[in-house]
């Protein structure tokens, strides 16, 4: 499965553009296996509850969607969990609470994820993205959470292969996906089933080709594609959602602008533009 965490479009004044959000999802969906709304690149943390609802109400997904939860407390998360059902999400992707991470402890993290899983709604997937949350998802917590029947998956965007090796070695009952494009092939070798990748907003065909080659046992082709795509994924990761939105606007997708105070243009654009153009020339981009 290749799934993009799609951006949430705002206009140049920072207002949610729900119609552009719908159009963007519909433009991307034919090229991927589903859409993640309000992931890290979806700026879910920049939305009010009312805006989250409005953004989901305009969507009409044809493939199974996923919704990100980036809340701090159980009541907040349960509200966001209920909102996810507006688009019929069967799964939610939940980061650990982070602002008071030093006080949460393993028991608090397990309490949080278990409360979501016990709510009887969508399945819960854990989301480890320490470069954004600045909070750890300890391996013992992952192993214990995996025992809950309502916690069924994990996205790991850290790029730490030792973590992927832990998941595989302990045979956790989780569907493991990577969010780190520069190590996609390595993650597949360590048991990942696919990628939930920011780069799939731009070049889903390329990452689907890599995944297809790996599944077919064509390791050499998968490695060749990974080497070809490594600079693209690495620089995009460095530029984050600001660069992603700029690149998507450049190729004609209605991704909008980052919400203030974040800049509209990325300092990584000069380095990324030629990589984008090269993939466009090779026919890998959306459209």
């Amino acid at each position: 499965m290749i799934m993009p965490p799609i951006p949430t479009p705002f206009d140049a004044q920072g207002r949610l553009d729900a119609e552009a959000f719908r159009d963007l999802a519909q433009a991307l969906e034919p090229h991927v296996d589903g859409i993640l709304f309000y992931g890290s690149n979806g700026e879910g943390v920049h939305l009010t509850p009312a805006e989250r609802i409005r953004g989901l109400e305009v969507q009409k997904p044809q493939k199974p969607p996923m919704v990100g939860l980036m809340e701090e407390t159980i009541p907040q998360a349960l509200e966001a969990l209920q909102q996810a059902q507006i688009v019929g999400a069967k799964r939610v992707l939940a980061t650990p609470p982070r602002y008071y991470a030093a006080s949460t402890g393993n028991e608090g993290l397990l309490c949080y994820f278990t409360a979501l899983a016990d709510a009887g709604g969508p399945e819960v997937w854990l989301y480890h993205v320490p470069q954004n949350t600045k909070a750890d998802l300890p391996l013992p917590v992952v192993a214990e959470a995996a025992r809950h029947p309502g916690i069924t998956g994990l996205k790991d965007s850290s790029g730490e292969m030792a973590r992927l090796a832990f998941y595989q070695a302990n045979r956790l009952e989780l569907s493991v996906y990577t969010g780190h494009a520069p190590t996609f092939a390595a993650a597949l070798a360590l048991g990942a089933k696919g990628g939930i990748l920011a780069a799939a907003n731009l070049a889903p065909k390329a990452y689907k080709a890599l995944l297809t080659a790996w599944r077919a046992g064509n390791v050499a082709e998968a490695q060749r594609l990974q080497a070809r795509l490594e600079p693209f994924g690495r620089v995009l990761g460095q530029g984050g959602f600001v660069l992603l939105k700029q690149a998507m606007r450049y190729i004609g997708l209605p991704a909008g602008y980052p919400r203030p105070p974040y800049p509209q243009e990325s300092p990584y654009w000069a380095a990324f533009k030629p990589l984008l153009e090269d993939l466009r020339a090779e026919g890998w981009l959306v459209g």
Side-chain angles (χ1 to χ4, degrees):
M1 182 175 77
I2 298 294
M3 177 179 283
I6 73 167
T8 302
F10 301 100
D11 67 18
Q13 287 72 47
R15 295 170 298 204
L16 175 68
D17 189 338
E19 289 71 28
F21 196 20
R22 177 201 59 218
D23 294 346
L24 179 61
Q26 291 179 352
L28 289 172
E29 193 177 43
H31 303 285
V32 295
D33 300 308
I35 298 291
L36 169 60
F37 299 104
Y38 306 147
S40 292
N41 285 278
E43 295 177 79
V45 294
H46 295 169
L47 294 165
T48 67
E51 287 172 329
R52 285 178 60 94
I53 292 170
R54 183 179 169 214
L56 294 176
E57 284 179 337
V58 300
Q59 305 298 339
K60 299 186 183 299
Q62 301 301 306
K63 297 177 181 178
M66 183 180 289
V67 176
L69 273 62
M70 301 179 181
E71 310 306 323
E72 290 294 317
T73 67
I74 290 172
Q76 291 171 311
L78 290 176
E79 181 179 355
L81 185 72
Q82 186 174 21
Q83 293 168 359
Q85 298 181 62
I86 293 172
V87 289
K90 303 300 183 184
R91 303 177 185 93
V92 294
L93 185 66
T95 56
R98 55 204 172 275
Y99 193 85
Y100 297 111
S103 300
T104 309
N106 288 9
E107 290 302 317
L109 291 174
L110 285 168
C111 177
Y112 179 79
F113 291 121
T114 299
L116 294 180
D118 284 343
E123 298 172 10
V124 175
W125 284 29
L126 310 179
Y127 185 15
H128 181 58
V129 56
Q131 56 268 47
N132 288 350
T133 63
K134 315 304 179 189
D136 191 28
L137 185 56
L139 292 173
V141 171
V142 175
E144 182 62 28
R147 296 165 60 88
H148 193 294
I151 299 175
T152 60
L154 167 70
K155 177 186 176 184
D156 195 312
S157 295
S158 68
E160 300 171 26
M161 293 299 102
R163 291 185 67 96
L164 276 290
F166 175 89
Y167 306 147
Q168 186 180 53
N170 286 272
R171 300 181 180 180
L172 302 183
E173 293 295 323
L174 296 173
S175 295
V176 175
Y177 282 74
T178 181
H180 193 256
T183 57
F184 185 33
L188 295 175
L190 287 169
K193 293 185 176 181
I196 304 175
L197 305 169
N201 284 289
L202 296 163
K205 302 175 190 177
Y207 290 94
K208 288 192 81 169
L210 193 164
L211 179 59
T212 298
W214 177 265
R215 286 177 172 170
N218 192 344
V219 176
E221 175 63 6
Q223 290 176 333
R224 184 192 71 79
L225 285 168
Q226 180 67 78
R228 172 69 187 85
L229 293 167
E230 190 279 335
F232 182 80
R234 172 169 43 83
V235 178
L236 183 60
Q238 291 168 341
F241 74 96
V242 175
L243 179 59
L244 175 63
K245 282 189 163 180
Q246 185 172 0
M248 294 180 77
R249 294 196 306 272
Y250 179 76
I251 66 171
L253 292 170
Y257 298 89
R259 190 162 232 180
Y262 297 94
Q264 295 186 358
E265 298 186 349
S266 169
Y268 290 92
W269 177 242
F272 189 68
K273 182 180 176 181
L275 302 175
L276 188 68
E277 290 289 8
D278 285 348
L279 288 190
R280 193 212 294 262
E282 295 172 23
W284 288 121
L285 298 189
V286 172

